Amino acid sequence: MSRHASRRRLTLVSLAGVGALAAAGISLLPSMASAAPCADVEVVFARGTGEAPGLGITGTPLVKDIKSALPGRTVSSYAVDYAANFSQTSAGPGATDMTERVKSTAANCPDTSLVLGGYSQGGSVTDIALGIPTRLGTGRTVPAGLADRIKAVVVFGNPLRLSGRTIASESELFGIKTKEFCNTGDPVCGNGRNSAAHLTYHLNGSVEQGARFAADRIARG
């Protein structure tokens, strides 16, 4: 094989490897990611069960509305990396990922304010990360020393309510900073029978209210 052909083959193999890693969600540029400028605010959000990776149907508009409510400030977002599976066994690993993101952002961006949140199973992710025991597993929790960095918590359709509890009732550190939404009839948080009620938080004004709550707390410092 000629030298030219050999180099061409290596290039193609390398490109194939890059494509495979990218498909698996593995970044090849950690130094570039870590070099990104720190935002004034970062929203760390866990999507609901069965949603595709990303911020989901409530997290996406929540971030957008927080940005609109904080003109002149930069707002970034982080989608919690977890399975969001139907067996409801991924909340613990999700909480660990949320916690590690909080710790990383707090260490690398000392002036960045944090907003945490989740929808459906993502609410359980948030509960566990805040140190609240649930029936959906265990994971790493946010160190108490970083509580001041978290300015607001916003959750939608949180299964914690099925046990008669809320973040406000269970957490002295985060209860006052939390806005919780549970639609009437929602079977996931309200023990109701209206499945559609669980799917309309982004349509009934709840997301906008949650964004205003978070923005107001950030504006107050």
Side-chain angles (χ1 to χ4, degrees):
M1 181 182 296
S2 69
R3 181 178 299 178
H4 177 74
S6 178
R7 287 180 177 174
R8 183 172 182 274
R9 183 180 180 186
L10 286 173
T11 299
L12 292 174
V13 170
S14 297
L15 289 174
V18 169
L21 288 172
I26 300 174
S27 173
L28 297 178
L29 300 172
S31 60
M32 290 182 64
S34 62
C38 294
D40 296 320
V41 179
E42 179 168 281
V43 183
V44 182
F45 195 90
R47 71 193 189 280
T49 299
E51 292 194 90
L55 295 170
I57 61 172
T58 55
T60 298
L62 178 70
V63 172
K64 180 182 178 182
D65 289 345
I66 290 175
K67 288 180 179 178
S68 297
L70 292 172
R73 303 200 192 196
T74 56
V75 179
S76 64
S77 62
Y78 176 79
V80 173
D81 183 10
Y82 85 118
N85 56 29
F86 285 96
S87 63
Q88 305 289 301
T89 59
S90 57
T96 294
D97 188 71
M98 176 179 278
T99 293
E100 292 305 309
R101 182 63 183 189
V102 169
K103 291 165 62 177
S104 174
T105 300
N108 296 321
C109 299
D111 296 322
T112 296
S113 297
L114 289 159
V115 176
L116 306 187
Y119 163 58
S120 192
Q121 188 179 170
S124 294
V125 168
T126 309
D127 298 334
I128 298 169
L130 299 182
I132 301 171
T134 79
R135 298 175 181 176
L136 296 184
T138 59
R140 296 175 194 163
T141 60
V142 175
L146 295 180
D148 287 345
R149 297 294 302 277
I150 299 170
K151 304 303 181 184
V153 178
V154 184
V155 292
F156 307 87
N158 189 354
L160 185 67
R161 281 180 175 262
L162 292 180
S163 61
R165 299 179 296 156
T166 65
I167 295 175
S169 70
E170 299 301 305
S171 175
E172 293 183 7
L173 279 176
F174 299 103
I176 195 172
K177 303 179 181 182
T178 300
K179 187 74 171 177
E180 305 176 67
F181 295 91
C182 180
N183 286 336
T184 301
D186 186 337
V188 175
C189 62
N191 206 25
R193 297 183 179 180
N194 182 8
S195 297
H198 188 60
L199 304 174
T200 56
Y201 292 99
H202 64 299
L203 300 174
N204 66 2
S206 296
V207 166
E208 291 90 338
Q209 292 179 46
R212 285 197 299 270
F213 172 82
D216 286 347
R217 289 199 57 84
I218 291 166
R220 292 202 303 263

